[in-house]
């Protein structure tokens, strides 16, 4: 077939598709799109690998823009069920349960925090999901319009750490549940089982990920309903009263940070799961389906986790279960005494829910890896899926026994980057790209052209100020910021790292971006 003019993905200049070491990859046409058949054209190693993958219907596309004629996923329900399954999991149940043993909150104040903070947290996910159909670009590639061609690589590093780190934490939780059901299943075996299943789903790409998530939430929802029914029947619920004063305010802020970080964590993947939706998709409907797919499981599972955890105050069996085996022990205390072996089966289902939770992490980490440079973009998406799986298993297996809490504390520490990312991206969109005074827009035809995209200097400078704001307001195991210390009790303070990170980055970006536009004009 006849190819259009090709562009170097680093410089935007016309080239022959050579990535610098003799290996050619698909041609980037003048409008930045790459057709599906282009991936297997030629006799290079890259083309041969892609042709082999195509025989098994493995998605060959990585960060390349999806042409409009290939955006054929017309089911908006796919958008909703994607997030419904990813959050109808034991990990979100655990977030709600933290309110009582970690933050010492009451039931009503925790319930209200879960509801309102989740609404706030998922807004950016819903918003950026509407960009996928319109432009056919993955979220990290779309981020070039905020951070520039080179600046986005810094954001990609944070996203890689988040994807790999949380996959490790999640798979450890799943392995602990399997071990709680059958102690003869060692931790490493549970990790390999869950990771292998996740790999095979994500290996085949967008269609199979959506197909799996379309159905996988159903058994998890049934099990959570059984948990709800058995717990209600037990009569162990305790309406713990809320506290008062400065310590209560600090505890609410810190719990809100945990809820917000979990819900907004999908922002850096948002557009990845709508890029095959038709370009003329109704943006309000895409937003609404994403919102419904997120808010329902997040509120349901977190509120259920909160309710079950109230029993640990006055019921020794629940308290001992949580102390001995964490969330798995708490769920076992609800399910196994009344249901026996069927209760154990329900725990296995919840352990396997981690597959749906980790699929977005492992599918999307590949795009962050590919935006890092020429050679990473030349590695097919499905090979990065395999490499990412090996890496997080290598972290999780020793972490299962030695440093799980350290790993989780580290992931909570770096989670503030999402608020900073949102502060810059939303400011760019609503202030600069929406203003007729500035000649900037989302032109999908230039996403490979570094000389036409924003320089990224303003975004990186604002990102640094955002980090400063987050550090000043954080309340973590490893560090208590000076402002965070003032927002609660003297020992723990209150976590306002997310709002300060957002505010510092958004405000400084306004000034830096104005200067950048004046100087560079783009």
């Amino acid at each position: 077939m006849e190819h259009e003019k090709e562009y170097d993905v680093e410089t935007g200049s016309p080239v022959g598709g050579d990535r610098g070491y003799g290996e050619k990859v698909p041609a980037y046409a003048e409008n930045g799109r790459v057709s599906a058949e282009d991936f297997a054209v030629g006799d290079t190693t890259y083309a041969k690998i892609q042709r082999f993958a195509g025989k098994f219907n493995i998605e060959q596309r990585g960060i390349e823009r999806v042409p409009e004629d290939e955006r054929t996923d017309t089911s908006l329900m796919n958008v909703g069920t994607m997030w419904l399954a990813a959050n109808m999991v034991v990990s979100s149940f655990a977030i709600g349960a933290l309110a009582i043993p970690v933050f010492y909150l009451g039931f009503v104040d925790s319930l209200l925090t879960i509801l309102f903070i989740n609404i706030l947290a998922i807004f950016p996910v819903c918003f950026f999901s509407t960009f996928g159909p319109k432009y056919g670009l993955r979220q990290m590639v779309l981020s070039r319009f905020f951070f520039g061609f080179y600046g986005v690589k810094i954001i990609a590093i944070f996203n890689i750490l988040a994807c790999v780190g949380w996959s490790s934490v999640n798979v450890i939780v799943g392995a602990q549940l399997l071990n709680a059901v059958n102690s003869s299943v060692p931790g490493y075996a549970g990790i390999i089982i869950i990771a292998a299943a996740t790999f095979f789903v994500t290996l085949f790409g967008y269609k199979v990920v959506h197909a799996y998530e379309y159905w996988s939430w159903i058994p998890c929802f049934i099990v959570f309903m059984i948990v709800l029914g058995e717990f209600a029947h037990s009569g162990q619920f305790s309406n713990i009263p809320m506290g008062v004063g400065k310590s209560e305010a600090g505890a609410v802020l810190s719990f809100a940070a945990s809820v917000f970080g979990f819900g907004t964590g999908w922002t850096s993947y948002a557009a990845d799961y709508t890029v095959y939706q038709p370009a003329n998709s109704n943006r309000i409907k895409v937003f609404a389906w994403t919102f419904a797919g997120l808010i329902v499981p997040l509120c349901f599972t977190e509120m259920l986790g909160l309710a079950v955890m109230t029993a640990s105050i006055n019921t020794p069996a629940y308290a001992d279960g949580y102390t001995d085996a964490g969330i798995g022990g708490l769920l076992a205390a609800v399910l196994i005494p009344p249901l026996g072996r069927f209760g154990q089966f329900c725990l296995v289902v919840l352990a396997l829910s981690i597959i749906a939770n980790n699929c977005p992490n492992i599918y999307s980490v590949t795009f962050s890896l590919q935006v890092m440079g020429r050679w990473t973009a030349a590695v097919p998406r499905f090979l990065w899926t395999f490499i990412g799986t090996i890496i997080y298993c290598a972290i999780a297996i020793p972490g299962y026994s030695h440093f799980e809490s350290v790993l989780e504390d580290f992931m909570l520490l770096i989670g503030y980057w999402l608020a900073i990312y949102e502060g810059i991206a939303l400011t760019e969109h609503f202030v600069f790209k929406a203003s007729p005074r500035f000649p900037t827009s989302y032109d999908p035809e230039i996403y490979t052209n570094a000389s036409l995209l924003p320089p990224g200097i303003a975004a990186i400078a604002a990102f640094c100020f955002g980090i400063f704001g987050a550090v000043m307001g954080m309340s973590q195991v490893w560090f208590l910021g000076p402002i965070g210390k003032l927002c609660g009790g003297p020992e723990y303070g209150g976590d306002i790292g997310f709002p300060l990170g957002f505010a510092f980055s958004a405000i400084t970006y306004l000034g830096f971006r104005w200067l950048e536009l004046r100087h560079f004009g783009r």
Side-chain angles (χ1 to χ4, degrees):
M1 63 176 291
E2 182 179 352
H3 294 285
E4 300 175 71
K5 188 185 295 183
E6 302 169 2
Y7 280 77
D8 187 289
V9 295
E10 289 283 341
T11 65
S13 58
V15 296
D18 196 310
R19 288 293 168 93
Y21 49 89
E23 192 64 33
K24 293 197 174 185
V25 296
Y28 281 81
E30 289 188 38
N31 62 3
R33 67 174 179 82
V34 179
S35 298
E37 60 268 22
D38 290 340
F39 291 99
V41 172
D43 295 322
T44 63
T45 303
Y46 178 90
K48 290 176 182 178
I49 293 173
Q50 290 284 21
R51 280 199 293 272
F52 179 78
K55 292 178 181 179
F56 298 95
N57 292 321
I58 293 174
E59 183 187 12
Q60 297 159 304
R61 186 179 306 281
I63 59 172
E64 301 83 10
R65 182 188 174 206
V66 182
E68 290 190 16
D69 60 352
E70 294 182 23
R71 297 179 211 168
T72 56
D73 180 11
T74 57
S75 172
L76 284 171
M77 188 174 289
N78 279 342
V79 178
T81 54
M82 174 69 214
W83 302 116
L84 179 61
N87 293 282
M88 189 70 70
V89 294
V90 70
S91 301
S92 51
F93 178 92
I95 292 292
L98 291 176
I100 294 168
V102 175
F103 301 106
Y104 306 104
L105 293 172
F107 178 71
V108 174
D109 46 347
S110 300
L111 200 73
L112 294 174
T113 301
I114 289 170
L115 174 61
F116 291 110
I117 295 301
N118 270 316
I119 292 173
L120 181 65
I122 66 176
F123 173 83
V125 189
C126 302
F127 179 69
F128 286 117
S129 291
T130 67
F131 284 64
K134 188 172 179 64
Y135 301 112
L137 296 173
R138 311 286 187 173
Q139 187 66 38
M140 280 296 108
V141 180
L142 179 70
S143 299
R144 290 174 176 172
F145 291 94
F146 313 130
F147 290 86
F149 191 93
Y150 299 102
V152 79
K153 299 176 192 231
I154 296 174
I155 305 306
I157 291 172
F158 279 93
N159 202 40
I160 292 166
L161 290 173
C163 291
V164 173
W166 281 119
S167 293
S168 303
V169 172
N170 293 339
V171 80
I172 288 172
V173 172
Q176 288 172 338
L177 273 172
L178 291 176
N179 182 259
V181 173
N182 186 349
S183 59
S184 64
V185 179
Y188 72 86
I191 289 169
I192 291 172
I193 290 168
I194 296 171
T198 306
F199 168 70
F200 281 113
V201 174
T202 54
L203 170 68
F204 289 92
Y206 181 96
K207 290 183 179 179
V208 175
V209 169
H210 273 284
Y212 179 81
E213 306 281 33
Y214 190 92
W215 299 105
S216 66
W217 66 273
I218 297 175
C220 297
F221 175 69
I222 292 172
V223 171
F224 278 128
M225 289 300 293
I226 293 171
V227 171
L228 175 61
E230 289 296 335
F231 180 67
H233 185 262
S234 72
Q236 300 300 328
F237 170 75
S238 176
N239 187 6
I240 302 171
M242 70 175 68
V244 294
K246 197 172 182 180
S247 295
E248 166 72 5
V252 168
L253 287 170
S254 296
F255 180 54
S258 297
V259 173
F260 182 88
F262 189 87
T264 207
W266 307 114
T267 301
S268 55
Y269 318 159
D272 296 353
Y273 301 96
T274 55
V275 289
Y276 285 95
Q277 291 279 325
N280 62 354
S281 297
N282 187 300
R283 298 187 75 174
I284 295 176
K285 290 183 179 179
V286 173
F287 185 101
W289 275 97
T290 306
F291 183 86
L294 285 163
I295 198 66
V296 171
L298 285 171
C299 286
F300 172 64
T301 54
E302 289 174 11
M303 289 177 180
L304 179 60
L306 166 66
V308 173
M309 184 54 81
T310 64
S312 66
I313 301 299
N314 299 315
T315 308
Y318 286 74
D320 293 344
Y322 183 74
T323 301
D324 295 340
I327 291 300
L330 181 68
L331 286 165
V334 178
L335 293 172
I336 293 178
L339 300 177
R341 297 188 68 85
F342 180 71
Q344 293 179 327
F345 171 77
C346 290
L347 288 180
V348 172
V349 172
L350 291 181
L352 296 179
S353 74
I354 297 299
I355 298 170
N357 195 207
N358 271 357
C359 276
N361 293 332
I362 300 307
Y363 179 69
S364 290
V365 72
T366 60
F367 309 125
S368 294
L369 287 161
Q370 286 189 322
V371 301
M372 292 300 298
R374 296 181 182 182
W375 75 270
T376 59
V379 177
R381 177 203 63 82
F382 44 87
L383 293 184
W384 278 125
T385 300
F386 177 73
I387 294 169
T389 300
I390 295 298
I391 291 172
Y392 86 79
C393 284
I395 296 171
I397 289 173
Y400 182 90
S401 303
H402 297 96
F403 55 87
E404 180 198 357
S405 61
V406 175
L407 178 62
E408 189 164 356
D409 289 340
F410 174 73
M411 294 312 303
L412 291 171
L413 190 67
I414 69 167
Y416 298 101
W417 81 273
L418 286 160
I420 302 169
Y421 172 87
E422 292 163 2
I424 293 168
L426 294 175
T427 302
E428 172 68 20
H429 177 82
F430 287 107
V431 176
F432 295 102
K433 284 187 166 43
S435 173
R437 296 177 57 193
F438 300 104
T440 63
S441 64
Y442 300 100
D443 183 357
E445 297 186 6
I446 67 168
Y447 80 94
T448 62
N449 195 325
S451 63
L452 296 179
L453 289 163
I457 300 170
I460 297 305
F463 193 85
C464 293
F465 275 91
I467 292 174
F468 175 74
V471 170
M472 295 293 286
M474 69 172 53
S475 174
Q476 293 292 334
V477 173
W478 294 349
F479 184 75
L480 178 58
I483 298 179
K485 189 175 183 179
L486 301 174
C487 297
E491 186 175 358
Y492 300 109
D495 196 327
I496 56 170
F498 280 103
L500 284 187
F502 182 95
F504 274 53
S505 61
I507 293 170
T508 55
Y509 184 70
L510 284 170
F512 290 146
R513 182 64 172 135
W514 183 83
L515 292 173
E516 186 178 65
L517 281 167
R518 288 288 300 269
H519 184 75
F520 294 98
R522 56 185 171 93

